[in-house]
Amino acid sequence: ATLTVQDGGAQSGIVGSEAPVTPSVLVRDEFGNPVPDAVVAFEVTGGGGSVAGGEARTNASGIARAGAWTLGTVPGDNSLSAAFAGLQSVTFTASASADTGAS
């Protein structure tokens, strides 16, 4: 069985804002088939910030999407992990930069 990044693996955004791409993972069984209705836990593991919900169920295609991932308030690297029982977790990364836009 495997847990792999489906979307949003490496990205960048503005500090304190929502990551531009919603992180998602694909869960497959030992035969390579998608695993529906599996609970995947998402957790912020670096850079501060937060993730809405924290748990998501896979759909019929074996894909689970995190809730909104809000990056930390300090420029630098942010990370989010996704875990499913018995499988190696995967990590999403985002580089947060200072908001230099005019107000």
Side-chain angles (χ1 to χ4, degrees), residues 12-34:
S12 59
I14 303 297
V15 294
S17 70
E18 191 175 311
V21 179
T22 302
S24 63
V25 293
L26 172 61
V27 180
R28 292 186 187 265
D29 67 16
E30 61 272 14
F31 304 108
N33 301 311

Side-chain angles (χ1 to χ4, degrees), residues 14-19 42-54 67-81 94 96:
I14 303 297
V15 294
S17 70
E18 191 175 311
F42 291 91
E43 178 183 9
V44 173
T45 55
S50 62
V51 64
W69 179 22
T70 302
L71 303 179
T73 58
V74 176
D77 294 333
N78 286 248
S79 57
L80 176 75
S81 71

Side-chain angles (χ1 to χ4, degrees), residues 55-103:
E55 287 188 347
R57 287 193 179 274
T58 56
N59 61 19
S61 299
I63 298 170
R65 297 192 192 293
W69 179 22
T70 302
L71 303 179
T73 58
V74 176
D77 294 333
N78 286 248
S79 57
L80 176 75
S81 71
F84 178 70
L87 299 180
Q88 179 72 33
S89 64
V90 296
T91 301
F92 299 86
T93 60
S95 176
S97 57
D99 184 1
T100 58
S103 48

